[in-house]
Amino acid sequence: MIKDIKKEVEEITKWIKNYVENSKAEGVVIGNSGGKDCAVVIALAQKALGKENVLTIAMPCNSIKKDLEDAKLVSNTFGVQLLELDLTNTYQTLEKEIDEIIKPKEEWRQKEAKVNAKPRLRMTTLYYIAQNLNYLVIGTGNKCEKVVGYTTKWGDNAHDFNPIGEFTVEEVLQIGKYLGVPDKIINKPPNDGLGGLTDEEKLGVTYKQIAEYIETGKTEEKAMQIIIKKEQASLHKRKPIPVYKRT
């Protein structure tokens, strides 16, 4: 856990402010799902840049209604603008067009492709808006997600910079509580909204176990085996793109 939360938050907000200024950008765009991580990043960005320079985007895509309600709660709490862009029709058009010309080798591959298409559409949307406004896209992934690869390549793991990428879930929540993120959001079971199950149910381990593994190199044996397997399988998501080197 973070020992001096006041000092840490001051350092993070200073870093955000400096990064945006040095990039000659005028603000930041943040995907607002109504979840913990994005809520904390919104709070940090608002503190660093002022509410007028933070634009949040809710992008429902066959999503449940309460997620949009939570996104509104977060934006209202920190006084930042929220745009609502429903990507359901866009996604369904893409899905229909591709399914008419491609047959998957295995059914599970098609399912995974469809799940990952949604965060990729959302990231495309964020960059489309950011480029129009001379804003940066700010990331919202935490360290636990990064270690086990619980992220979509070129989707939610694509951004210009990330202020919480080196903090575990518990530490992100610690920051959120300090900054006044609503209890409803803090206590919300982590869910990416892409499959009906919570994050931990999909992963087969808890974020507490992942954090313990990160901090000590070990946790409960069965959980550690799952974490190591996922960490190794997702290495490609954390490494630079391989490029052939000319001789």
Side-chain angles (χ1 to χ4, degrees):
M1 296 294 282
I2 300 169
K3 293 181 180 179
D4 189 338
I5 187 66
K6 183 176 183 292
K7 180 181 178 182
E8 195 72 62
V9 168
E10 288 175 352
E11 290 296 319
I12 298 170
T13 52
K14 180 181 177 181
W15 181 78
I16 293 172
K17 188 174 187 294
N18 288 340
Y19 192 91
V20 173
E21 288 179 350
N22 291 337
S23 299
K24 309 300 181 186
E26 297 176 46
V28 294
V29 172
I30 306 173
N32 185 355
S33 67
K36 299 178 177 67
D37 290 334
C38 66
V40 171
V41 173
I42 288 167
L44 288 166
Q46 185 254 34
K47 184 176 177 64
L49 306 171
K51 61 184 179 181
E52 67 278 2
N53 299 312
V54 178
L55 176 61
T56 74
I57 316 292
M59 296 165 283
C61 187
N62 294 322
S63 306
I64 54 178
K65 185 178 179 181
K66 71 180 183 66
D67 286 341
L68 181 56
E69 293 172 354
D70 289 345
K72 291 178 180 178
L73 172 62
V74 172
S75 62
N76 289 337
T77 298
F78 297 103
V80 297
Q81 186 179 2
L82 173 68
L83 296 183
E84 299 174 34
L85 294 171
D86 195 318
L87 299 180
T88 302
N89 290 338
T90 303
Y91 168 76
Q92 289 175 343
T93 299
L94 178 67
E95 180 184 52
K96 179 177 180 295
E97 293 287 340
I98 294 176
D99 286 353
E100 286 178 355
I101 61 174
I102 295 291
K103 287 188 177 181
K105 291 186 176 181
E106 290 93 10
E107 188 176 340
W108 69 267
R109 293 184 184 278
Q110 184 184 54
K111 183 179 178 181
E112 286 294 303
K114 290 181 177 183
V115 166
N116 285 310
K118 294 177 181 180
R120 288 174 178 140
L121 278 176
R122 288 172 175 143
M123 192 53 61
T124 298
T125 302
L126 292 177
Y127 270 98
Y128 189 106
I129 293 169
Q131 193 163 7
N132 272 279
L133 300 176
N134 189 29
Y135 278 16
L136 297 177
V137 175
I138 188 167
T140 61
N142 61 66
K143 189 169 186 177
C144 291
E145 293 171 333
K146 181 174 69 174
V147 166
V148 295
Y150 193 62
T151 177
T152 295
K153 200 171 186 178
W154 314 126
D156 54 312
N157 79 342
H159 40 259
D160 293 310
F161 68 117
N162 183 346
I164 64 167
E166 285 301 309
F167 294 95
T168 66
V169 170
E170 289 182 282
E171 291 170 330
V172 171
L173 293 179
Q174 187 182 0
I175 295 169
K177 290 175 183 177
Y178 176 80
L179 290 173
V181 171
D183 288 341
K184 180 185 179 183
I185 306 300
I186 291 290
N187 298 324
K188 184 178 179 180
N191 189 322
D192 61 11
L194 297 174
L197 301 174
T198 67
D199 292 355
E200 294 179 332
E201 287 171 336
K202 290 180 182 179
L203 289 167
V205 294
T206 67
Y207 280 125
K208 185 175 182 180
Q209 289 170 325
I210 298 171
E212 186 176 30
Y213 171 76
I214 291 170
E215 293 163 358
T216 68
K218 59 183 179 179
T219 186
E220 188 270 326
E221 182 62 30
K222 184 178 178 181
M224 189 163 73
Q225 290 177 4
I226 294 173
I227 293 168
I228 292 173
K229 184 177 180 180
K230 288 182 178 295
E231 183 180 25
Q232 293 173 344
S234 62
L235 185 61
H236 67 100
K237 295 183 180 182
R238 297 183 295 276
K239 293 181 69 175
I241 301 171
V243 176
Y244 169 74
K245 294 184 178 180
R246 297 174 60 178
T247 58

